[in-house]
Structures are given as structure tokens and as C-alpha cells.
Amino acid sequence: MTDPAIAATTDPPPDTAHRRLRRTQEWLASIHPRRLGLRTRILLMFALGALILSGFLAAAAYSFARSSVINQRDEAGIEQAYRNAQVAQNELSANNPSAEAAVARLRSLGVARFAINYRESWSASSAKYTSFAIPQEMRTRVITESTPARMITHVDGEPVLIIGIPLTVTDASYFEFVPLDDASEALSSVLLSLLFAGFITTIAGALLGVLIASRAVRPLGDAAQAAKAIAGGMLGTRLAPTDDHDLRILANSFNDMASTLQARVERDARFASDVSHELRSPLMTLAASVEVMKARRDEMPERAQAALDLLVADVARFQGLVEDLLEISRFDAGAIRLNLEDLLVAEFVRQAVAVSSAPTTPVSVTERGERVVIRGDRRRLARVIANLIDNARLHGGGDASITVTEPDGEGEPLGHVWITVADHGPGVPIEERDLVFERFARGAVAGRRSSSDGAGLGLALVDEHVRLHGGRVWVEDRIDGEPGARFVIELPGEEVGV
Amino acid sequence: MGDVGTRILSVEDDERIRTAVKLALEDEGWTVDEAASGEEAIKLFNRASPDVVLIDIMLPGMDGFELCRTLRRHSDVPIVMVTARNDTHDVVAGLEAGADDYLTKPFAPKELSARIRALLRRIRPISPGHAKLVFGDLEIVPDEGKVTRAGQELHLTKTEFRLLCELAQNPGRVFSRESLLDKVWGYDYFGDGRLVDVHVRRLRTKVESDPANPRHVVTVRGLGYRLQS
């Protein structure tokens, strides 16, 4: 008995750090609501990289272009402004009471945008470029502190460079306005082309990303294809050796896995085959001994006879099972070679029925069916017929009948022939119609289908044999409406001697 | 029941199988000699002179193929081989080593006795007036079991001889594999066609001057075989 107190202390205490970690994980998961594929991630990374890089370059280029354009304007403007300021000073130093003369003089020289502060009153060239356009701090600097200044501001929304020059001799200040419209136009076209270049670069980055991603993902595609081939039964599939160090790890471990898998599958297949081989010798002894006893059945007491009958029947069943196992392990090893020859299908079916466990099973053949030749391994196809007859006898309530017909669609050139084995059993429910062809597929079918006899491999062998002959087999309801199943074998065949 | 005095040599290394087969064959009225190895079989063969030899391919020491070839060197006794597998390699190798027929383990003793009986059958008497059949340089005397090529006597096994006689019954007619399997080996529709093919090949190495380009025993594609001059 465990002490409940001890049991309680061994429980992990509620751990807040643990919970926090989990919350962090949940939060991280919420950032990636959908996991992006590797290809998409590489693409996005390249596009983002190109975007950042081109944005940075564009910004640098723009600011460089801007400062160089403005500097140019600046220098030219300042030089001109000083000359104009000199003109104004000359006029004002003539001791004029007002700046009218200076304004007129400058206008006559073609100077269009300027303002003069003279003896604390303003004169301007136009109504637009007046003292109000000049920011207060600049006015203070130039007029009060007598320091030349320049700054860029906006007048009515247009960029303007204002140059302020104190005319110290005459207690005046000269301000000149240099519009920067055309410069900003040039700059915005530069900006536009930079943005365009950035866009193109981003697209190019994304395209490069697609290219790189598909190259990076290609080995994964190869691996996926190889894995698919292996799953499909081509166990010898391997990845090609590569020089790439990173990929070599993947390729090597993939190939190791495939080799291990192959060895395992082959060992399993060999095991089934080896077991069956080992069973042959004791079976041989059993079969021969039972035969000897059978010859003396009449001399035996009744109970011994009954036991002998059981022995005889089950030795035969055992023998059949071992043969089936061997045949199916040959299928698995891919070691079956068909002994193909041309067979008149009707004659073949009659012969196969004659050597089966129910030689009196009726065989009906349509007129065209009589003329059909198939290419097949007669002994293996005879097993197919025999197994279907056995199946009808054991699970289909006996009373089987066989027909050889052309598939539906009369008048057309014949490409296939149908061999149908119909019984009067309980039929096979739709959901079990594929299952009955599985190995040892008794499953749910066993409940309804009577005896424990030979459900084993019979129908699985039918399926494998028919497929090896390029045909197919299926089970459906009887077409005459009576209860019962009908197994249809479709084999390639052609009509001869019409 | 078989002919009284028919002796069978059974070569099988598994003692239990050997004993059980012996019991079953003795029920048919035959005398059975047993050998556990190829070497023992050769010694016994000379002493007992059996009418049929039953050889298991998997033997310790000298294997069944080699025993078969050794016996064939100086005997035309019918040989039935027992293989563990019925895949092409073992069966064809056994037949080429000189076996007349084969069985795959585990077989029913009834099958074995049927095979032995078929091999022991006498050759059907040929209609009178055909005591001697001539095909170019080939001369067959069925009643004496004698075949000569260019005057020289050939050594055929009983089965090869029977196959040749069947073909000679109706010169020029094409015999299908099935009909030859039926007439020579006593098989039904589901006999193994490889028996015919390998025996025809063996027969050609003896009756043809150039077995690669047979003149007498010719293949009729898709139909069977035919004997001609």
C-alpha cells in the first residue's frame, strides 16, 4: 500500500515558470497562425531583404540629391542676394527717407522677390513676399542681432529659401526670397524613380527567392519522390550521391533508412518462405502416413475412423495452406514467372472445373465467349478457378455456376472476357467487397460466412494471379436478383476465327 | 496394383519421409529400396537394378542433380525428381540432368504412384507393317526400342524414346504440348509444358546432327512439335 501523503508530495508542484513558458509558446504559436512553407519563407526573406536594402539605398540617394540640389541653389542665391543687398545699400545710403528708391532700383534690375526693412518699416516687392512670410526668429536674428541668415520655409505652401542680410551702414535689412519649386519638382521625380527602382528590386529579390527556394527545395522533392517509390514497393530506390555537404547528411541517412527497411522487408518475406519450406518435410511425412492409414480404414474401430477422417481432411487443408503461403511469398519476392501460352478460354474453364473440388459445377459459355483466346499461365489460372469454386462451396452455400461471357457493350471489338463464378450464399456486403481479397481476411465476414475452412489466402491469391495476368477481379451481387454473390474475373482476350 | 516385382529406389535423406513414402509405395505392391545419400544410392543401384528411381534434389554430399547425371551415364532407368520448389530453375535443371518427371513437396502419395505407373507403361504397339520407321538418316524400330542415326545406334532414355515414337506415329502432324503430355506422361490438361520442352531439347542433342538447327524434331511456333525427314 502506498501512503497517500507520500503520493501527494511526489506530485509535481504547480510550477509558475512552467506555465509562463507555456504561455510564451502559445503566444509564439499565435504569431504564426499558419505555418508557412519553406519555399514561401525563403521567398519572403529575399523579398524583405531586397525591400530593406533598396529602401535604405533610396533614402541615402534621395537625401544626397536633395542636399546637393539645395546647396547649389543656396550658393547661387546667396551670391545674388549679396549683390542685390549692395544695390539696396547704395540707394539707401543716399540718405533717402524711405526705401522706395531702393525698391524701384531693384525692380528695374529685375529682382522680383525681396523685402527691405528700413527704419523699422517694411517695403516689399510684391504682396506675396512680404515681412509676414519671414519667420519671427529670422527677423530677430537679422534685424536685431545684425547677423546674416538663411532658411528654407514655405510661403503659401511653396518651398522658399529666404536669405536675410543686415545692411549695417544704413540700419536696414535686406531679405530675398528664392523659390525652390523647380528644385522640389526635380527632387520628387528623383524620389519617384527611386521608389520605382526599389519596387523593381523587391520584385527581383522575390524572384531570386523563388529561384533559390526551388533549388533549395529540390533535394527535398527528390527525397519525397524516393520515399514514395519505396512506399510503392520499389525498395531498391536510393537518393543519388551528392557533393553538397549539407545534403549529403540527408541523402546518407535517407539511404541508410531505405537499406534498413529493405533488409527488414526482405527478411520478413524470406521468413514466410522459410517457414513454409520447413513445413514441407513434416507435411510430406504426414501426407504419406495418412495415406497408408486410409488404405486400412476399414480395419479400424469406428472412433479411430472418425479421427482418421479428421486427420485426412486437415492434412489436405494444411497442405493447401502451405502451398498458398509459398505462392504468396513468391509474389512478395517478385519471383513469379508466368508460363504464358494462348488458351481457348472456354475449353480452359471447363478443364479447370473438371479438376476442381466441384467438377460438376455447370459452365455456360456465350457464343462469342467460345471463340475467345486469352494469354495465360494455365496452371495458375486453374488455381484461380479452383479457389473461386472452393470459396463458393465453403462460403457461398455451394451450388455455384460459372459463365464465360463478353463484357457488356456488344458489337464492339472484344478486348476482354469475363469469367463469372456465382453462388447462392448470403452475398458479400458492399463494405467488405474489397476486404475479402485481403490475406487471411476473415474479419467480420467470418460471422456470417459459415465454416472456419480456408478463408486464408485463396481469394488473395486469386487477386494476385489475375492482376499478374493484366486483369482484375471483383465481387458483386448476382445480377438475376436472387440472393448470392458473383465473382467476376476480367482478363484481356481476343476473339479468333470469326 | 503395380506389377509384382517392380522395384523402386527411393533416395531421400529425411528418414521419416523415406519411411512414410516406403510404406505408401509398398501399399501399391512395389518393392522399395532406400538410400539416404547419393553415394549410397549408386552402390545400391548396381545391386538392386530398380525399375524407377525417386530422387530428392536436396541431398547431403552429392546432390540430386549430380546423382541424376551419374545414373544417366550408364542407365535409361526412369527417374522422378522431388523438388522443394517448383520454380523454373530447379525443375528445368532437374529435367536437364536427365529426370523424366518431377514432383513438388509436399505431394500426395497417390500422385507419386500415378507418376510411377505412367513411367512404367509399355510403349503402345505400333500397327503392323510399320516395324521400322525411317526419317532421312533416322531409323526407329519401336518393337526393339532401337534408334539409329546414319547406321549408328543412339542411346535414348525410355521417355525420350516414347516421345520420339509418339511423334513418329504420325509423321508430319503437329503434336501440341498437351497431347504429348497426355500420351507420353499421362498428364491431364494441367501438366507442365516444360516437361515436353526439355525432353524435346534432350532428344535433339541425340537425334540431330546440329541440335541448334533441328531438321527432324521441329518446333511449330505456338502449336507444338512435329517429326520430319
Side-chain angles (χ1 to χ4, degrees), chain A residues 277 280-281 283-285 287-289 291-292 295-296 319 323 330 337 339 341 343-344 347-348 351-352 355 378-379 382, chain B residues 14 16-17 20-21 23-24 27 83-86 88 102 104-110 177-178 188-192 194:
Chain A
H277 273 292
R280 284 164 175 252
S281 296
L283 250 178
M284 191 63 244
T285 312
S289 304
E291 197 69 36
V292 173
R296 286 160 187 76
Q319 192 162 339
E323 273 163 23
R330 246 175 257 138
R337 272 212 240 121
N339 224 340
E341 49 192 330
L343 303 170
L344 257 174
E347 186 201 358
F348 160 76
Q351 296 276 8
V355 297
R378 74 170 77 190
R379 305 215 289 169
Chain B
D14 186 321
R16 280 184 295 253
I17 295 179
V21 167
L23 287 171
D27 272 4
T83 70
R85 297 173 293 169
N86 70 350
T88 302
Y102 75 94
T104 310
K105 264 189 196 173
F107 52 84
K110 281 263 156 66
R177 282 192 185 79
E178 295 93 273
D188 59 19
Y189 183 79
F190 295 102
D192 186 345
R194 290 175 297 184

Side-chain angles (χ1 to χ4, degrees), chain A residues 50-135:
Chain A
L51 183 66
I52 291 173
L53 206 64
S54 62
F56 178 74
L57 283 175
Y62 180 71
S63 81
F64 177 76
R66 188 170 182 274
S67 68
S68 95
V69 165
I70 296 208
N71 275 346
Q72 204 185 348
R73 285 300 166 102
D74 227 13
E75 280 164 28
I78 287 168
E79 204 177 312
Q80 185 62 47
Y82 271 101
R83 269 205 300 276
N84 295 340
Q86 191 60 51
V87 170
Q89 179 151 1
N90 291 344
E91 290 295 327
L92 292 174
S93 52
N95 231 348
N96 278 338
S98 76
E100 288 303 319
V103 170
R105 174 84 185 119
L106 282 168
R107 271 202 185 127
S108 72
L109 286 172
V111 182
R113 292 167 285 264
F114 60 93
I116 297 170
N117 182 279
Y118 181 59
R119 292 180 185 160
E120 293 179 6
S121 77
W122 286 92
S123 315
S125 59
S126 67
K128 189 174 174 187
Y129 299 101
T130 62
S131 59
F132 302 108
I134 304 165

Side-chain angles (χ1 to χ4, degrees), chain A residues 450-464:
Chain A
S450 57
S451 75
S452 57
D453 236 341
L457 291 166
L459 291 179
L461 274 174
V462 166
D463 188 41
E464 301 269 19

Side-chain angles (χ1 to χ4, degrees), chain A residues 60-336:
Chain A
Y62 180 71
S63 81
F64 177 76
R66 188 170 182 274
S67 68
S68 95
V69 165
I70 296 208
N71 275 346
Q72 204 185 348
R73 285 300 166 102
D74 227 13
E75 280 164 28
I78 287 168
E79 204 177 312
Q80 185 62 47
Y82 271 101
R83 269 205 300 276
N84 295 340
Q86 191 60 51
V87 170
Q89 179 151 1
N90 291 344
E91 290 295 327
L92 292 174
S93 52
N95 231 348
N96 278 338
S98 76
E100 288 303 319
V103 170
R105 174 84 185 119
L106 282 168
R107 271 202 185 127
S108 72
L109 286 172
V111 182
R113 292 167 285 264
F114 60 93
I116 297 170
N117 182 279
Y118 181 59
R119 292 180 185 160
E120 293 179 6
S121 77
W122 286 92
S123 315
S125 59
S126 67
K128 189 174 174 187
Y129 299 101
T130 62
S131 59
F132 302 108
I134 304 165
Q136 180 58 46
E137 48 177 326
M138 190 169 185
R139 275 189 262 168
T140 316
R141 240 181 115 185
V142 179
I143 301 168
T144 319
E145 297 168 15
S146 299
T147 314
R150 65 181 169 91
M151 76 182 296
I152 294 170
T153 184
H154 284 86
V155 177
D156 292 353
E158 287 163 18
V160 176
L161 172 69
I162 307 175
I163 302 157
I165 303 163
L167 306 176
T168 43
V169 190
T170 51
D171 186 21
S173 298
Y174 175 78
F175 294 87
E176 185 162 324
F177 301 84
V178 182
L180 294 174
D181 297 8
D182 51 341
S184 88
E185 251 165 52
L187 279 177
S188 65
S189 82
V190 165
L191 185 65
L192 205 66
S193 45
L194 282 174
L195 281 179
F196 183 68
F199 177 71
I200 294 290
T201 311
T202 307
I203 297 284
L207 287 179
L208 191 67
V210 169
L211 198 75
I212 302 255
S214 74
R215 287 193 71 129
V217 168
R218 194 179 304 152
L220 294 181
D222 292 347
Q225 213 146 33
K228 214 167 169 183
I230 289 173
M234 292 161 69
L235 294 173
T237 310
R238 295 289 181 274
L239 286 181
T242 165
D243 295 333
D244 188 312
H245 175 74
D246 299 317
L247 293 179
R248 202 160 48 207
I249 297 172
L250 173 70
N252 286 351
S253 55
F254 183 93
N255 288 345
D256 286 349
M257 178 211 67
S259 302
T260 314
L261 194 68
Q262 184 175 23
R264 218 192 166 104
V265 167
E266 282 171 357
R267 202 180 54 210
D268 286 354
R270 214 169 34 238
F271 178 73
S273 160
D274 288 349
V275 165
S276 326
H277 273 292
E278 288 298 316
L279 288 174
R280 284 164 175 252
S281 296
L283 250 178
M284 191 63 244
T285 312
L286 281 176
S289 304
V290 158
E291 197 69 36
V292 173
M293 288 164 79
K294 230 166 82 182
R296 286 160 187 76
R297 188 175 182 278
D298 294 342
E299 302 162 23
M300 291 180 177
E302 207 175 310
R303 289 178 69 79
Q305 283 184 4
L308 176 63
D309 293 345
L310 287 175
L311 196 58
V312 169
D314 265 17
V315 164
R317 195 170 118 193
F318 191 12
Q319 192 162 339
L321 197 57
V322 167
E323 273 163 23
D324 285 353
L325 258 177
L326 277 167
E327 184 76 356
I328 217 130
S329 63
R330 246 175 257 138
F331 267 111
D332 291 346
I336 295 224

Side-chain angles (χ1 to χ4, degrees), chain B residues 16 19 34 38 55-56 75 83 90 110 137 203 207 211 226:
Chain B
R16 280 184 295 253
T19 310
E34 295 174 279
I55 301 176
D56 185 42
S75 170
T83 70
D90 271 16
K110 281 263 156 66
D137 58 353
L203 190 59
V207 302
R226 181 174 68 194

